[in-house]
Amino acid sequence: MGARRQYRWPQPLEGQKARVWYGGDYNPDQWPEEVWDEDIRLMNQAGVNFVSVGIFSWAKIEPSEGVFDFDWLDRIIDKLGKAGIAVDLASATASPPLWLTQSHPEVLWKDYRGDVCWPGARQHWRPTSPVFRRYALALCRAMAEHYKDNPYVVAWHVGNEYGCHNRFDYSDDAMHAFQDWCKKRYKTIEAVNDAWGTAFWAQHMNDFSEIIPPRFIGDGNFMNPGKLLDFKRFSSDALKAFYKAERDVLEEITPGRPLTTNFMVSETGTTLDYDDWGDEVDFVSNDHYFSPGEAHFDGIAYTASLTDGIARKDPWCLMENSTSAVNWRPINFRKEPGQLVRDALAHLAMGADAICFFQWRQSKAGAEKFHSAMLPHAGEDSQVYRDVCELGADLNKLADEGLLGTRLVKSKVAVVFDYQSQWATEHTATPTQKVHHVTEPFAWFRALADHGVTADVVPVRSNWDEYDAVVLPSLYLIDEATARRVREYVAQGGKLLVSSYTGIADEKDHIWLGGYPGAIRDVVGVRSEEFVPLAKDDGTLDHIDLSNGAVAYDLADCITSVADTAKVLATFKADPVTGMDGRPAITINEYGDGKAVYVAGLLGRWGLSKSLPEVLGELGVDTSSEEDCGDVLRVERADESDENHFVFLFNRTREDAVVDVEGEPVVSSLVHLTMSEHSAVIKPNGVLVVKL
């Protein structure tokens, strides 16, 4: 594990005091200059103080090879800075100009069939191309030299959403880089053979030159799991190496100016190992777009918590979110009234000190013309813009009250997330394609929230073993070091909750032998011999009931033995012919000074919520005694002295929620205060922030 870079945060412009950074992507090159002054007037009116500029401007900054035009960019940065709006300046390398790809088509990435990704969209470059790196770093150098003394540029926005479209490249450049990556990781080809289990299907390699990317192998065939997992690791590392090369050029010329790049942490999955990437930025930034439907708010809270975990509770930046609809889904739903403000404040509650949107002014042309913005097509006289102004005022009010300098208060419970378990469970040759690691942490987060517990979502590399209770939700890959941490944590008094499909394989995706969950079977005190996939088909089980009223879907464990130190809390109820009737479904085991609960099936949010009161009671984890405690998500931020302590209360339901008001209300949206009764009614999509 490498050392993390020193945390550095963008500082306010000269003469200004620190505020919550507020703004978004700004693309003045999409508009005639006569629009710019109007943009700045409306930004000031809305409280905007921070914009990202130049993200997709390479073709305008360098219109032909080696010819740079900074005049237009100088003019807009000067206008912004003089208006009190700081600039997060992009390296502008996200998409190469056509003159470059026409002269050097070898920089274009190839898919797994060998087809070229031609220009026409964005990110049509391969991270392992030495030619592309040369041109990109020349642009970085020119940008840094030109803007090194500009007082209005407070941070570097390096690249943009690395891997969003070019995560995987199967070109020869990528092949040679993958071979070098394997040499560095494994040292010998025999170690690679062992890691990839190449004795199977005669895949043994005699030399590193025989390593190729996981290219097309025929429809319906199965790629070597170890090779595919390593290619995903390599692809994350290859993009990270490109980012670091850009970062280092910018930092060499502009030392002291903070650098970041925007991650894409999401409840629906993730492309790169963002916790690993978190070591390489001065401050963490994330782009998050809501998932429409009943999980909308919980998805935001969960993702923001994980981003805070990646940031190790240092302030982070919400670099992009949407004011309303996006443009890239088959159906692009709008946000409901109140959700723009509430969603932004949820990220703020979870540790963000910067709230930004894509983008400032909604485009009138191009692929993102229907993507919402702070200033929509409807213009200034619109509800979206009025909400943007309301949010700007709220953020300034919270800064005035002392929010800056506070951090997300640590929860008693940690839910562990692991990027590499997600990647491994994506393979097509598994017990069931319905089960992936990415869904289980979110289910646990939601179920805990139903009982008044706002868990911290933390990466597996973090200090999860410092929490009172820890959830390992389908943590498929557990290596020896992590297994040792689990044993030590529980033996020393920790409270562990484990769900099915945890501890199945090591870091090479080699199965732990002896029965499941092999890596930590002794800790949980049970042994399963087989998986029981659940799916609706002719004559098969599509679910299994539990004796406590919960229901398992998608997967269950066939537990055949329980340790003497373990107690069964719930059993499965099924037709005896299935062999599952009466088998243990939820157990608790004493291990050293601690206890470990094992849930032998995937119960989903509702099944977990039904099971948690007894489970948490057996573990001795305190939860709220109020029956409706799950209606409101409670999030706290405080400074070290507790002089500034804020409580954010979010309505998670479609009905009014009544809450006691403990402190002084600071900010509210869709809230009716009844101060004579020291209570408040938070309406659906509403939020109340109080200062204790």
Side-chain angles (χ1 to χ4, degrees):
M1 186 185 303
R4 290 176 75 89
R5 284 173 63 87
Q6 181 181 354
Y7 174 77
R8 293 186 295 177
W9 185 252
Q11 295 304 299
L13 298 179
E14 185 176 356
Q16 293 186 347
K17 61 180 179 179
R19 316 296 294 174
V20 176
W21 289 121
Y22 180 50
D25 288 9
Y26 182 39
N27 297 289
D29 41 326
Q30 293 182 10
W31 300 94
E33 288 201 28
E34 54 263 29
V35 176
W36 295 358
D37 289 336
E38 178 72 356
D39 281 333
I40 290 172
R41 179 186 73 81
L42 294 172
M43 286 180 188
N44 283 150
Q45 186 171 283
V48 168
N49 56 24
F50 183 83
V51 291
S52 297
V53 178
I55 293 172
F56 294 107
S57 299
W58 190 344
K60 191 168 180 64
I61 293 170
E62 190 180 6
S64 59
E65 182 174 350
V67 177
F68 295 96
D69 176 12
F70 293 113
D71 289 346
W72 70 274
L73 192 53
D74 291 344
R75 290 195 298 276
I76 188 58
I77 290 175
D78 190 63
K79 282 178 177 288
L80 290 164
K82 288 177 176 175
I85 301 168
V87 172
D88 170 44
L89 185 57
S91 63
T93 55
S95 288
L98 291 176
W99 60 257
L100 172 53
T101 54
Q102 186 178 48
S103 299
H104 296 283
E106 69 271 23
V107 307
L108 301 169
W109 62 267
K110 293 185 177 182
D111 70 10
Y112 73 119
R113 289 178 179 263
D115 292 336
V116 174
C117 174
W118 293 102
R122 58 179 182 172
Q123 284 192 340
H124 40 279
W125 53 272
R126 60 179 76 159
T128 56
S129 167
V131 175
F132 183 71
R133 178 177 288 211
R134 184 172 72 250
Y135 280 95
L137 297 189
L139 176 62
C140 289
R141 191 167 291 106
M143 293 283 287
E145 288 288 357
H146 190 82
Y147 291 104
K148 63 183 177 182
D149 297 318
N150 192 295
Y152 304 134
V153 176
V154 298
W156 283 112
H157 188 301
V158 187
N160 187 72
E161 293 185 338
Y162 286 93
C164 182
H165 303 283
N166 61 347
R167 178 188 180 190
F168 298 130
D169 169 40
Y170 301 84
S171 66
D172 284 351
D173 280 340
M175 179 181 70
H176 296 311
F178 187 36
Q179 292 167 355
D180 290 342
W181 184 91
C182 289
K183 287 179 186 177
K184 184 176 179 180
R185 181 178 179 91
Y186 291 108
K187 306 299 189 292
T188 68
I189 193 63
E190 283 308 318
V192 181
N193 282 312
D194 173 70
W196 295 359
T198 58
F200 189 79
W201 282 354
Q203 295 177 359
H204 182 86
M205 297 171 292
N206 296 308
D207 187 80
F208 284 100
S209 64
E210 297 177 10
I211 293 174
I212 60 173
R215 292 167 172 159
F216 181 64
I217 54 173
D219 293 328
N221 220 329
F222 300 102
M223 179 57 64
N224 181 304
K227 177 180 183 176
L228 188 57
L229 178 58
D230 268 346
F231 189 71
K232 292 177 180 180
R233 290 168 172 151
F234 154 75
S235 298
S236 182
D237 285 350
L239 285 158
K240 182 179 68 174
F242 191 88
Y243 154 77
K244 288 170 64 178
E246 290 192 71
R247 179 201 68 190
D248 292 349
V249 167
L250 296 168
E251 185 169 47
E252 178 186 357
I253 299 169
T254 62
R257 185 176 291 166
L259 302 105
T260 191
T261 190
N262 40 344
F263 299 167
M264 296 179 289
V265 181
S266 171
E267 72 277 13
T268 58
T270 189
T271 51
L272 309 178
D273 186 342
Y274 289 121
D275 190 51
D276 175 51
W277 277 61
D279 291 347
E280 305 297 343
V281 294
D282 292 346
F283 63 96
V284 167
S285 299
N286 192 51
D287 295 353
H288 184 264
Y289 291 95
F290 73 98
S291 296
E294 64 89 22
H296 175 145
F297 173 73
D298 284 357
I300 287 169
Y302 168 87
T303 302
S305 180
L306 177 54
T307 305
D308 188 72
I310 293 168
R312 304 296 191 265
K313 296 199 177 298
D314 282 329
W316 53 277
C317 171
L318 176 64
M319 191 65 80
E320 291 183 25
N321 78 128
S322 65
T323 56
S324 191
V326 298
N327 69 298
W328 36 265
R329 293 191 174 103
I331 301 174
N332 294 300
F333 295 98
R334 67 189 274 266
K335 284 191 175 181
E336 297 173 353
Q339 289 182 343
L340 185 157
V341 173
R342 181 206 62 182
D343 292 359
L345 292 181
H347 288 95
L348 187 80
M350 289 292 187
D353 276 3
I355 303 295
C356 301
F357 294 92
F358 178 84
Q359 57 180 322
W360 162 252
R361 181 183 283 271
Q362 190 169 6
S363 301
K364 67 177 182 179
E368 293 181 309
K369 63 183 181 291
F370 287 117
H371 194 295
S372 61
M374 301 174 79
L375 185 65
H377 290 151
E380 179 180 3
D381 183 15
S382 63
Q383 188 59 51
V384 164
Y385 180 71
R386 286 189 285 273
D387 288 348
V388 164
C389 293
E390 176 188 338
L391 176 59
D394 289 345
L395 297 177
N396 278 328
K397 173 67 170 172
L398 287 164
D400 289 339
E401 291 290 337
L403 183 77
L404 296 175
T406 66
R407 303 287 189 273
L408 177 65
V409 173
K410 182 181 176 182
S411 176
K412 292 182 178 180
V413 181
V415 175
V416 177
F417 179 83
D418 179 31
Y419 298 90
Q420 305 202 22
S421 285
Q422 177 195 330
W423 295 344
T425 56
E426 291 168 344
H427 199 273
T428 53
T430 58
T432 169
Q433 295 299 290
K434 289 180 172 289
V435 175
H436 301 103
H437 165 69
V438 69
T439 59
E440 191 70 358
F442 187 34
W444 278 91
F445 178 85
R446 301 191 75 191
L448 287 162
D450 290 341
H451 295 282
V453 178
T454 305
D456 283 354
V457 187
V458 299
V460 71
R461 292 194 319 152
S462 71
N463 294 330
W464 51 261
D465 42 5
E466 295 178 357
Y467 284 79
D468 293 350
V470 173
V471 181
L472 301 184
S474 296
L475 204 71
Y476 173 82
L477 296 181
I478 292 186
D479 59 17
E480 289 186 4
T482 303
R484 184 166 56 251
R485 285 180 70 190
V486 170
R487 291 189 180 90
E488 292 173 353
Y489 168 74
V490 180
Q492 294 169 10
K495 301 164 184 176
L496 186 70
L497 300 101
V498 180
S499 62
S500 180
Y501 220 46
T502 293
I504 304 304
D506 64 14
E507 73 281 4
K508 297 180 286 190
D509 201 4
H510 292 193
I511 301 299
W512 290 98
L513 301 180
Y516 314 124
I520 54 170
R521 194 171 59 244
D522 54 334
V523 180
V524 297
V526 299
R527 178 176 179 268
S528 169
E529 295 184 18
E530 285 187 288
F531 297 113
V532 183
L534 304 170
K536 193 170 184 59
D537 201 351
D538 188 26
T540 63
L541 285 170
D542 66 346
H543 72 277
I544 306 181
D545 295 324
L546 273 67
S547 59
N548 67 357
V551 181
Y553 296 98
D554 296 332
L555 190 73
D557 292 333
C558 182
I559 292 178
T560 54
S561 59
V562 178
D564 294 340
T565 50
K567 178 171 69 171
V568 177
L569 302 181
T571 57
F572 288 119
K573 296 167 59 179
D575 187 328
V577 73
T578 66
M580 290 298 291
D581 189 50
R583 291 199 182 274
I586 303 177
T587 61
I588 186 167
N589 185 50
E590 295 183 3
Y591 185 85
D593 293 332
K595 295 181 179 180
V597 166
Y598 188 74
V599 181
L602 302 186
L603 309 186
R605 178 252 186 114
W606 297 114
L608 291 170
S609 185
K610 184 173 248 336
S611 305
L612 276 176
E614 181 182 13
V615 165
L616 295 177
E618 289 280 349
L619 286 174
V621 177
D622 293 331
T623 62
S624 175
S625 59
E626 299 177 28
E627 291 184 5
D628 59 352
C629 64
D631 293 349
V632 173
L633 188 78
R634 178 188 176 102
V635 185
E636 299 182 42
R637 284 185 59 157
D639 57 22
E640 290 184 4
S641 67
D642 208 39
E643 178 181 352
N644 293 304
H645 194 138
F646 296 83
V647 178
F648 293 73
L649 301 167
F650 299 92
N651 187 346
R652 300 174 67 223
T653 75
R654 306 297 286 177
E655 307 292 335
D656 289 354
V658 179
V659 296
D660 293 331
V661 178
E662 307 167 61
E664 185 67 26
V666 179
V667 164
S668 64
S669 176
L670 297 179
V671 172
H672 175 62
L673 294 168
T674 55
M675 293 308 297
S676 60
E677 301 175 9
H678 301 287
S679 65
V681 177
I682 307 178
K683 296 190 174 299
N685 301 326
V687 53
L688 173 64
V689 186
V690 299
K691 186 176 182 182
L692 300 182

